[in-house]
Amino acid sequence: MSNILHVSLSCIESILHEPATLSKPNKRWHLAFAIIYCSRAFHSLLNKKNMKTSKLPLSTPSFVVLNVEPHLAFSNIEHTSLTEVVKKKNLDQLREFGGVAGVADALKTNAKNGIHGDVEDIARRQEVFGSNTYPRPPAKSFFYFVLEAFKDLTILILLACATLSLGFGIKEHGLKEGWYDGGSIFVAVFLVISVSAVSNFRQNRQFEKLSKVSNNIKVEVVRDGHRQQISIFEIVVGDVVCLKIGDQVAADGLFLDGHSLQVDESSMTGESDHVEVNCHHNPFLFSGTKVADGFGQMLVTSVGMDTTWGEMMSTVSRDLNEETPLQARLNKLTSSIGKVGLAVAFLVLVVLVVRYFTGNTEDENGNQEFNGGKTKANDIVNAMVRIIAAAVTIVVVAIPEGLPLAVTLTLAYSMKRMMADQAMVRKLSACETMGSATTICTDKTGTLTLNQMKVTKYWIGKEPVEDSSSIDTHVLKLIQQGVALNTTGSIYRAASGSEIEFSGSPTEKAILSWAVLELDMDMEAIKQNYSILHVEAFNSEKKRSGVLMREKADNKIHVHWKGAAEMILAMCSSYYDASGSIKSLDDGERMTFEQIIQGMAASSLRCIAFAHKQIPKEDQEISESRQKLKEDSLTLIGLVGIKDPCRPGVRKAVEDCQYAGVNVRMITGDNVFTARAIATECGILRPDQDMNGEAVVEGEVFRNYTPEERMEKVDKIRVMARSSPFDKLLMVQCLKQKGHVVAVTGDGTNDAPALKEADIGLSMGIQGTEVAKESSDIIILDDNFSSVATVLKWGRCVYNNIQKFIQFQLTVNVAALVINFVAAVSAGEVPLTAVQLLWVNLIMDTLGALALATEKPTKELMKKPPVGRTEPLISNIMWRNLLAQALYQIAILLILQFKGESIFGVSEKVNDTLIFNTFVLCQVFNEFNARKLEKKNVFKGLHKSKLFLGIIGITIILQVVMVEFLKKFANTERLNWGQWGVCIGIAAACWPIGWVVKSIPVSEKPFLSYLKW
């Protein structure tokens, strides 16, 4: 029965599926046929069921009521066809759908107000058309990192030795006793692999999380008439998305409305030329492309995997294994140390083999191990395995694989903490490079200031206006036109409340709120009375925007301009005074206006001017055909002063950077007077600093210098005003040529070249465009300069933590190599066994890296000058510290090796345990010394380093377990309280030695440079 029902329902479904290409009369016939067919199908099904279940005849109604509504919400359009139309840019087929308006109707979208956007509507759209996400390639599993760890050659050799040792041990001593040597090496290798795999796996997971956060772009959409920001993943088919310069197009779709919209499709096509998007010739927009110019609105037609970008991205895996410059330097250092270790291990191997075969070694009972032909083959192989294992273990200890791990750990840790401090790292190398930064070029708006703009002054003619009622009605009308029609912002007035919402850039919002709240502007009414013919969108080079429009009532054409006051003033030949009369703008009047602008700028106000021109009838046709806005002989309507207060704490952050030897330079599009006022307020410029006029310069002046003049003056410049993005790029290039490590902040699309050119590009998370974010290395999430200072501190912390760990690691390496080599050559045996050396390796490589690489930044870091590009990784201070500690450890342990038995009156086995225990405890105490490279007080701030204390505690507990409870595994003997006291006393001497050594002065010249002839 269920099968019959299933088949019938399938038939019904196929009949209900209505082809999108049917005409309206055919659709009616199709629906009538579907109703008749369905009624008969259901009727026959009921008959069959009744015949089986009941012998009594049931009276069936003479009609069947069916509610036939195919899926019904979007039945007028077939989604696959629509997707293909956009992908293939098929204009003809788009016309068949009824053009963009027809598609909007079919998708139940109001072109002006967008979709309803309630929960049910969104859910239905996601169910029918899918969500704006795409499946990512699977993340690397834990097993992958385990396999990666196994690829290490030394680990493989150790495993081979462990296997041989296990086999021969069991053969010689039986399973109960014989597995200890081989088994313990297996366990130690397993521990090393596990810790390495776990830390790499966790770091990979963290980078994946950061990748998800960086992909979660905020997009502006219109839903139910309300502009709002949502996540790119929440966009649905039918959404109306607002686009402006620098935005990434969030999905595939069709152009609804806008002006001068140009799109960079190079990410899709590889073509660098910008493509113009308009209603008539090319209304198609593609996910992943960037808006290069203009603004507009688009209708989303496909999302997620239905877009070309989605298909492409689902196959692309972001490579998180980026090697940073510091990691590259460390890998070089590791391989150099590894070569020394290999040489020492080879010598030890040769010495031990020669001593064995010349009969100079004895077994546990004091008998000669090798007696020519009398020695069993098994014993010879066993001895060789033991010797090879010892040599290989020396290599394991010598090669500091902990260095790359330490970098990974400290970078991963600092990335996580920087995220909490409002900085998201996109490129790992930026973390460490920031520590070397010598100069920061910062924007003003939103970075040094709050970006909360408000109109505080406005002038009509040469008079400041206190009350809007005193403005002439004609002038007021012109201001309202200029604000309402020449804007990328919008106003939303909720039907229920009186609260008005303004959207757009902070400057646009400030002007809109002033016009609405103070000048009683009705934006909707003005828009209905005029039709816009052409728009010139604002960009950071022109610093102005204009609109050409026709008044519907009398067909008159007007042009309105708005922008930087001195730019607009230069385009004007007359001005309106407060009474509405037009006055000529001669040189004297122009000078007066320039003084007004300078006065406003000196009060830290951003000065915006409005200008207007009515196009004479004879020029109207030319203006319409050329779509070119008149740029001269305009009439100045008025000036507006916008206040953007400085961020609290920004002066302190600037002072911190300057104290740390980092110069802060401000690069802004504002005029010289505003720039100087803000720079002085923020502490970038001292009040007396610009006496000779070299500290503050205009972009155009800087641009027109000769290359030699630029190089000579660039170090003195603190403020660049009226700068274009090209000027910013030019300054970055000059500073880099002078040897500076340059960090640059930027938020606009045009800042991308400077962000890429800089050593560290910092983009703004709130105001920054997607293009700027993609060109940057670090995103400052709160747009605050204080966060830039925090990033600088973290950069230095990363570098400092790595140096601490290198000092700690090399001390162990030098000591372990020398002790084993001397003992092997002189006594013919290695005091530290393979398992013991692997344990030391684990302590210093992994636990040491965790303890030292996760130290937080301290105030001392900001008291030192920046680390230069060419300075060696191992400084003279580090050489001084590590050689002193290594020499002390070598001396003590060699005394124990050769005289320990007679000094303490103990057996050889106990003496070997004393050596092992002292060596490990020396590393534990030396770990405290490594916390501070220069400061004598190594305990300062120790209570804040919970992880450090925890790891020290774990290391000591595990060492006690190794010595006291794992005798056979670790080849140790139990020690009494006195012997433990001796070990701790010898190891604790590291502290006073470290204290004394730090009093010895060191030269500035790098230690290794003395070795170069």
Side-chain angles (χ1 to χ4, degrees):
M1 177 69 199
S2 63
N3 288 343
I4 297 166
L5 185 62
H6 181 72
V7 171
S8 301
L9 288 175
S10 305
C11 294
I12 291 166
E13 193 176 293
S14 66
I15 284 164
L16 286 178
H17 182 72
E18 178 183 295
T21 50
L22 288 180
S23 63
K24 278 191 178 175
N26 285 343
K27 280 182 185 175
R28 287 198 197 99
W29 280 109
H30 185 275
L31 197 59
F33 173 78
I35 291 168
I36 294 164
Y37 178 89
C38 291
S39 64
R40 287 185 174 176
F42 276 92
H43 194 262
S44 64
L45 275 172
L46 283 168
N47 282 346
K48 282 178 185 173
K49 190 181 177 190
N50 292 339
M51 283 165 67
K52 284 190 179 181
T53 55
S54 172
K55 290 181 182 178
L56 291 169
L58 287 173
S59 61
T60 55
S62 56
F63 60 89
V64 176
V65 178
L66 281 175
N67 183 11
V68 180
E69 194 183 336
H71 197 334
L72 280 197
F74 306 100
S75 58
N76 297 346
I77 197 154
E78 181 153 23
H79 187 225
T80 12
S81 316
L82 181 58
T83 305
E84 286 304 308
V85 166
V86 176
K87 277 185 187 173
K88 291 177 180 173
K89 295 192 173 184
N90 192 331
L91 267 173
D92 295 330
Q93 205 173 338
L94 180 62
R95 287 192 194 103
E96 283 180 30
F97 283 132
V100 178
V103 173
D105 285 345
L107 294 175
K108 306 263 192 300
T109 301
N110 181 309
K112 187 184 172 190
N113 296 329
I115 60 173
H116 287 301
D118 54 48
V119 180
E120 284 176 21
D121 186 24
I122 301 293
R124 190 165 63 246
R125 287 172 189 275
Q126 284 181 339
E127 186 191 335
V128 179
F129 303 115
S131 62
N132 199 28
T133 53
Y134 43 84
R136 291 188 161 275
K140 289 169 183 170
S141 65
F142 177 70
F143 187 62
Y144 169 85
F145 293 102
V146 172
L147 283 177
E148 283 296 304
F150 269 112
K151 288 178 185 174
D152 189 344
L153 184 63
T154 49
I155 292 287
L156 293 174
I157 296 170
L158 270 176
L159 285 172
C161 289
T163 308
L164 289 170
S165 179
L166 191 66
F168 289 114
I170 292 170
K171 190 178 177 186
E172 194 175 337
H173 302 293
L175 183 61
K176 196 174 181 184
E177 298 284 325
W179 70 273
Y180 288 130
D181 277 359
S184 54
I185 297 175
F186 266 123
V187 171
V189 168
F190 170 75
L191 269 173
V192 170
I193 285 172
S194 300
V195 173
S196 170
V198 166
S199 57
N200 283 332
F201 176 70
R202 285 191 61 197
Q203 172 236 342
N204 186 267
R205 278 283 176 274
Q206 193 176 331
F207 291 160
E208 287 282 352
K209 271 186 202 167
L210 281 172
S211 171
K212 280 178 190 167
V213 172
S214 65
N215 288 335
N216 188 8
I217 300 163
K218 291 291 176 195
V219 179
E220 199 171 74
V221 297
V222 179
R223 285 183 177 173
D224 209 17
H226 183 202
R227 267 201 198 195
Q228 51 191 281
Q229 283 208 330
I230 62 168
S231 161
I232 191 169
F233 305 127
E234 292 171 10
I235 281 180
V236 291
V237 169
D239 257 326
V240 172
V241 177
C242 304
L243 300 172
K244 60 183 184 301
I245 295 180
D247 282 354
Q248 178 177 313
V249 179
D252 285 4
L254 297 165
F255 178 82
L256 275 174
D257 180 30
H259 294 280
S260 315
L261 190 66
Q262 292 202 328
V263 176
D264 174 7
E265 293 185 356
S266 57
S267 58
M268 306 288 292
T269 61
E271 295 289 331
S272 55
D273 290 343
H274 296 159
V275 177
E276 188 170 343
V277 179
N278 52 41
C279 294
H280 310 295
H281 308 297
N282 178 30
F284 305 104
L285 287 149
F286 298 100
S287 176
T289 57
K290 307 280 189 310
V291 178
D293 199 3
F295 59 91
Q297 291 187 329
M298 69 173 273
L299 171 70
V300 175
T301 55
S302 41
V303 291
M305 286 302 291
D306 289 330
T307 66
T308 318
W309 183 252
E311 285 172 19
M312 201 161 67
M313 288 305 286
S314 63
T315 59
V316 175
S317 169
R318 184 179 166 196
D319 184 22
L320 301 168
N321 300 326
E322 162 207 0
E323 188 175 67
T324 72
L326 187 57
Q327 281 174 324
R329 283 171 81 183
L330 282 176
N331 287 341
K332 199 175 171 186
L333 179 68
T334 303
S335 74
S336 305
I337 297 168
K339 284 169 190 170
V340 174
L342 276 169
V344 172
F346 182 70
L347 279 171
V348 168
L349 182 71
V350 171
V351 169
L352 290 179
V353 169
V354 169
R355 285 183 68 95
Y356 177 79
F357 284 112
T358 52
N360 286 328
T361 54
E362 295 174 347
D363 62 16
E364 291 171 358
N365 304 319
N367 303 322
Q368 188 177 321
E369 276 194 297
F370 184 75
N371 282 322
K374 294 175 187 176
T375 310
K376 292 176 188 175
N378 273 3
D379 291 343
I380 294 171
V381 172
N382 261 342
M384 286 302 105
V385 166
R386 197 174 65 248
I387 289 166
I388 291 166
V392 169
T393 311
I394 288 172
V395 176
V396 170
V397 172
I399 295 175
E401 7 6 335
L403 284 180
L405 176 67
V407 180
T408 303
L409 280 170
T410 191
L411 286 174
Y413 173 75
S414 58
M415 279 173 78
K416 194 174 179 181
R417 297 305 300 244
M418 281 163 84
M419 195 74 175
D421 286 340
Q422 301 300 316
M424 187 176 83
V425 179
R426 292 186 74 253
K427 286 184 187 160
L428 270 181
S429 53
C431 272
E432 61 205 42
T433 316
M434 196 67 191
S436 309
T438 57
T439 189
I440 297 172
C441 298
T442 175
D443 276 348
K444 176 188 79 75
T445 307
T447 310
L448 297 171
T449 60
L450 281 168
N451 216 2
Q452 292 172 0
M453 300 196 186
K454 188 175 191 302
V455 173
T456 56
K457 277 187 182 177
Y458 60 102
W459 297 60
I460 304 293
K462 294 181 284 183
E463 301 297 320
V465 179
E466 300 299 329
D467 182 14
S468 60
S469 60
S470 63
I471 304 173
D472 176 74
T473 50
H474 178 60
V475 174
L476 185 64
K477 185 185 169 188
L478 287 175
I479 294 173
Q480 290 177 344
Q481 281 174 21
V483 173
L485 300 165
N486 187 12
T487 183
T488 53
S490 68
I491 297 169
Y492 174 73
R493 201 188 293 263
S496 52
S498 57
E499 189 68 29
I500 302 170
E501 276 185 42
F502 301 98
S503 59
S505 71
T507 311
E508 295 283 10
K509 286 198 279 191
I511 293 170
L512 283 173
S513 66
W514 165 71
V516 170
L517 302 175
E518 286 203 35
L519 308 183
D520 294 326
M521 179 184 81
D522 185 344
M523 192 164 172
E524 281 305 309
I526 294 171
K527 279 188 168 182
Q528 282 166 15
N529 293 334
Y530 293 87
S531 51
I532 292 171
L533 304 174
H534 184 61
V535 170
E536 277 209 22
F538 178 90
N539 69 37
S540 50
E541 282 187 41
K542 295 184 294 189
K543 300 195 186 331
R544 61 176 192 257
S545 66
V547 62
L548 185 73
M549 63 211 190
R550 175 187 278 118
E551 195 169 352
K552 289 177 182 174
D554 55 10
N555 269 358
K556 284 180 182 171
I557 292 180
H558 303 262
V559 64
H560 273 276
W561 282 99
K562 171 183 80 181
E566 60 266 45
M567 304 270 187
I568 300 294
L569 185 65
M571 295 158 65
C572 294
S573 59
S574 56
Y575 70 95
Y576 282 101
D577 66 7
S579 63
S581 309
I582 295 179
K583 300 278 179 77
S584 176
L585 195 62
D586 57 28
D587 289 344
E589 302 282 13
R590 196 176 291 277
M591 186 78 75
T592 309
F593 276 106
E594 281 171 3
Q595 285 169 355
I596 291 169
I597 292 165
Q598 286 171 23
M600 287 165 88
S603 310
S604 305
L605 296 180
R606 171 179 277 191
C607 203
I608 306 287
F610 292 91
H612 161 262
K613 174 88 177 172
Q614 186 178 323
I615 308 293
K617 279 191 176 177
E618 58 271 19
D619 296 344
Q620 284 191 11
E621 285 182 25
I622 302 167
S623 290
E624 281 191 74
S625 59
R626 282 191 192 164
Q627 299 268 295
K628 186 86 177 85
L629 271 64
K630 199 168 178 62
E631 295 184 9
D632 56 359
S633 306
L634 304 177
T635 304
L636 183 72
I637 306 171
L639 302 169
V640 167
I642 299 174
K643 179 76 176 170
D644 186 10
C646 273
R647 282 182 180 274
V650 80
R651 192 182 182 92
K652 170 84 169 60
V654 168
E655 283 169 2
D656 286 348
C657 290
Q658 289 168 341
Y659 189 61
V662 179
N663 285 317
V664 181
R665 292 172 166 83
M666 184 176 95
I667 302 176
T668 177
D670 281 345
N671 71 31
V672 172
F673 304 99
T674 310
R676 188 183 280 119
I678 294 282
T680 309
E681 202 178 328
C682 294
I684 292 170
L685 208 61
R686 292 192 307 276
D688 58 335
Q689 199 169 359
D690 193 34
M691 291 304 170
N692 55 4
E694 288 190 331
V696 180
V697 70
E698 279 198 338
E700 193 178 351
V701 176
F702 182 74
R703 203 183 315 148
N704 294 333
Y705 284 151
T706 63
E708 293 76 26
E709 281 179 316
R710 268 201 295 271
M711 293 301 283
E712 183 195 328
K713 295 184 178 183
V714 73
D715 275 331
K716 297 171 190 166
I717 295 170
R718 288 289 167 271
V719 176
M720 192 196 282
R722 279 287 172 249
S723 68
S724 70
F726 175 73
D727 300 327
K728 189 185 260 192
L729 176 64
L730 206 57
M731 178 172 258
V732 172
Q733 287 168 339
C734 288
L735 289 167
K736 281 181 79 176
Q737 283 168 28
K738 293 276 279 190
H740 288 282
V741 179
V742 188
V744 167
T745 72
D747 55 9
T749 305
N750 295 334
D751 289 328
L755 289 168
K756 279 185 175 167
E757 180 70 26
D759 297 286
I760 312 104
L762 304 155
S763 66
M764 299 298 132
I766 300 168
Q767 282 302 311
T769 63
E770 284 313 312
V771 175
K773 287 176 190 174
E774 284 201 7
S775 304
S776 66
D777 307 308
I778 296 173
I779 299 173
I780 305 297
L781 298 172
D782 61 353
D783 289 16
N784 192 343
F785 186 79
S786 301
S787 301
V788 177
T790 309
V791 170
L792 180 70
K793 202 186 285 182
W794 271 109
R796 292 189 173 193
C797 180
V798 167
Y799 199 84
N800 195 45
N801 284 351
I802 299 299
Q803 284 190 314
K804 290 177 194 174
F805 182 69
I806 290 170
Q807 180 186 299
F808 172 68
Q809 173 111 48
L810 290 185
T811 307
V812 189
N813 285 23
V814 171
L817 280 176
V818 173
I819 294 157
N820 271 2
F821 179 66
V822 173
V825 171
S826 57
E829 59 186 28
V830 182
L832 299 168
T833 65
V835 171
Q836 288 170 354
L837 281 174
L838 280 168
W839 167 234
V840 172
N841 193 50
L842 187 71
I843 290 174
M844 65 180 191
D845 270 10
T846 310
L847 297 177
L850 260 174
L852 293 169
T854 54
E855 289 265 299
K856 291 177 186 172
T858 57
K859 286 179 183 174
E860 284 88 43
L861 287 172
M862 297 296 271
K863 291 176 183 174
K864 292 190 285 185
V867 180
R869 287 173 197 268
T870 52
E871 284 189 37
L873 205 52
I874 308 173
S875 64
N876 287 0
I877 289 163
M878 290 163 69
W879 279 117
R880 175 195 70 189
N881 297 345
L882 78 88
L883 287 174
Q885 294 292 344
L887 287 170
Y888 168 69
Q889 289 181 22
I890 290 163
I892 286 294
L893 295 172
L894 288 178
I895 290 168
L896 284 175
Q897 170 70 17
F898 296 110
K899 298 288 181 185
E901 290 175 46
S902 56
I903 292 170
F904 297 109
V906 292
S907 66
E908 187 187 348
K909 200 84 182 279
V910 172
N911 191 49
D912 283 348
T913 306
L914 279 173
I915 292 170
F916 167 58
N917 202 29
T918 305
F919 184 56
V920 169
L921 290 175
C922 276
Q923 309 326 318
V924 171
F925 280 88
N926 192 34
E927 214 160 327
F928 285 88
N929 282 332
R931 287 189 71 241
K932 307 281 178 189
L933 299 177
E934 294 175 66
K935 299 283 177 195
K936 290 182 179 180
N937 181 6
V938 295
F939 305 108
K940 189 179 177 185
L942 188 63
H943 62 286
K944 292 178 184 172
S945 299
K946 303 274 192 307
L947 187 62
F948 181 88
L949 291 170
I951 285 168
I952 293 290
I954 289 166
T955 308
I956 292 168
I957 291 165
L958 289 174
Q959 179 61 16
V960 170
V961 170
M962 284 283 280
V963 171
E964 297 295 320
F965 303 105
L966 299 175
K967 295 198 297 177
K968 295 205 169 168
F969 171 77
N971 204 15
T972 54
E973 285 291 318
R974 296 185 82 156
L975 301 177
N976 60 37
W977 286 105
Q979 288 159 346
W980 269 102
V982 167
C983 293
I984 291 167
I986 293 169
C990 291
W991 286 349
I993 289 167
W995 193 86
V996 171
V997 164
K998 282 173 184 171
S999 305
I1000 302 169
V1002 290
S1003 73
E1004 291 293 316
K1005 192 179 178 185
F1007 172 73
L1008 289 176
S1009 65
Y1010 291 107
L1011 304 177
K1012 292 175 185 173
W1013 300 102

